[in-house]
Amino acid sequence: MPAPPPNRAVSEILALRWEDMDLAAARPTQTICGTLVFVKGQGFFRQPWTKSDAGWRMVVLPRFAVGMIMARKLVAADNPHDAIFASRRGTWLSPNDVRRQWREARADADLAWVTPHTFRKTVATLIKEETDTKSAAAQLGHSSEEVTATYYIGQARPSPGRLGHP
């Protein structure tokens, strides 16, 4: 079985810009249309394309996410990149720093198992349950439903405490 695709979720999230959102629409959307990359000697910059053609996508935002994003917009400082998630200095955040901070935050809460990949798997599973695998693959930016089904959609398993009980 091939290895799962590399995790690009953090680099995609940190590359989000306010101009790529439409929060006023009847169905608010976010266009995923770039990723952060590191260039030695220059630092981080946003490349205006995704890892693959399927990675460029427009996703509908759930109501709770729109509320959180609007609250963030009210307190966010302007930055030259129009980044939703910018550093205090207005620069792009480092994906490695964000991953490190996430590891530290979850260590004290006994949540070491929760990773950005966990969130992607949860989203894929919920979308598949509500619609289909094709929709889940589109949301995650996969060109193949097979990748989504193999690595992202959770399979129901019986609880050990309920085995043998009606």
Side-chain angles (χ1 to χ4, degrees), residues 49-63:
W49 60 85
T50 56
K51 182 178 169 187
S52 67
D53 288 343
W56 189 100
R57 63 210 184 271
M58 183 181 291
V59 296
V60 175
L61 299 171
R63 206 172 300 137

Side-chain angles (χ1 to χ4, degrees), residues 109-131:
D110 196 28
L111 295 172
W113 60 274
V114 180
T115 67
H117 190 73
T118 308
F119 294 123
R120 287 176 61 86
K121 288 175 75 168
T122 301
V123 167
T125 302
L126 292 172
I127 291 173
K128 192 268 182 188
E129 288 174 359
E130 292 295 319
T131 57

